[in-house]
């Protein structure tokens, strides 16, 4: 009589563990906070003339754009490990919303970064096309402020809800996620600095995951 063999894991337990999710979330939070802060400081005046006359602003924007891919990789790993940690208690509805909103946020963040790179290339020429510059700037703002951050709000809502239902997060952390999601939904488009509360919240959640013990799950006989 042959024994049933357990499914083979392609990744080691360390990379799938709770600590791995926490580290990935911390890396994402720090990098995206730094990138968004640098962009907001550099684009306090978004005219072409201001950017052309100040190379330090262009360098700051370039540095922030270079951080975005690494933040995205960390965020993707954070999503994967958190979903793996849910295991058998995973709720299909919230898991789908969690995964879909996270991936949509990441995709629009990358597209917005590419658009920003294209807009910044216009600044380097002697006679830039102002209409094309304005079009790229408005497109980037729409992608990041309107759509990507709304998906971040949905992601925050789903993580908070799953955190409460599975007791994976302290209730105060989950409830703070609802407040963050409301702020992103209402004010992220008009108040650019509000956008920083999303990576800050992911950073806080990751630190909490790192310093707390996993919830005890009942053993099914």
């Amino acid at each position: 009589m042959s024994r049933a063999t357990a499914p083979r894991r392609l990744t080691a337990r360390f990379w799938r563990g709770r600590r791995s999710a926490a580290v990935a979330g911390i890396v994402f939070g720090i990098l995206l906070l730094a990138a968004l802060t640098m962009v907001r400081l550099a684009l306090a005046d978004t005219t072409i003339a201001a950017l052309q006359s100040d190379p330090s602003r262009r360098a700051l924007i370039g540095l922030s754009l270079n951080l975005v891919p690494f933040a995205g990789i960390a965020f993707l790993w954070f999503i994967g490990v958190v979903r793996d940690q849910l295991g058998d208690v995973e709720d299909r509805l919230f898991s789908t919303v969690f995964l879909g909103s996270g991936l949509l946020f990441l995709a629009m963040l990358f597209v917005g970064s590419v658009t920003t790179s294209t807009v910044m290339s216009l600044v380097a020429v002697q006679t830039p096309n102002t209409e094309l510059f304005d079009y790229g700037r408005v497109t980037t703002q729409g992608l990041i402020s309107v759509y990507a951050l709304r998906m971040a709000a949905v992601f925050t809502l789903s993580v908070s809800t799953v955190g409460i239902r599975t007791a994976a997060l302290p209730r105060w952390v989950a409830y703070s996620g609802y407040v963050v999601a409301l702020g992103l939904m209402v004010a992220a488009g008009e108040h650019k600095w509000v956008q920083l509360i999303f990576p800050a919240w992911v950073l806080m959640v990751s630190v909490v995951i790192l310093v707390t013990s996993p919830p005890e799950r009942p053993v099914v006989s």
Side-chain angles (χ1 to χ4, degrees), residues 61-195:
I61 295 173
L63 178 59
S64 68
L65 293 176
N66 287 329
L67 295 179
V68 171
F70 299 101
I73 293 170
F75 186 68
L76 191 60
W77 195 268
F78 175 78
I79 292 175
V81 178
V82 169
R83 189 164 183 263
D84 181 75
Q85 284 287 299
L86 292 177
D88 296 333
V89 301
E90 181 181 37
D91 183 283
R92 290 185 179 181
L93 172 62
F94 285 100
S95 175
T96 301
V97 176
F98 162 77
L99 182 62
S101 59
L103 294 179
L104 283 172
F105 163 77
L106 195 57
M108 286 184 280
L109 178 66
F110 282 174
V111 173
S113 300
V114 172
T115 308
T116 303
S117 300
T118 304
V119 170
M120 293 307 299
S121 66
L122 296 174
V123 181
V125 301
Q126 293 183 349
T127 56
N129 188 324
T130 56
E131 293 182 357
L132 190 58
F133 175 86
D134 290 336
Y135 171 78
R137 178 176 56 82
V138 172
T139 301
T140 301
Q141 288 180 353
L143 278 169
I144 302 299
S145 302
V146 178
Y147 294 98
L149 269 299
R150 263 57 175 193
M151 288 297 99
V154 176
F155 177 85
T156 305
L157 283 173
S158 60
V159 171
S160 300
T161 303
V162 171
I164 290 177
R165 292 191 173 187
T166 62
L169 295 174
R171 286 189 173 271
W172 67 269
V173 175
Y175 291 144
S176 70
Y178 293 129
V179 177
V180 168
L182 179 62
L184 292 173
M185 285 285 191
V186 174
E190 294 75 20
H191 305 282
K192 302 300 185 295
W193 288 102
V194 175
Q195 299 172 5

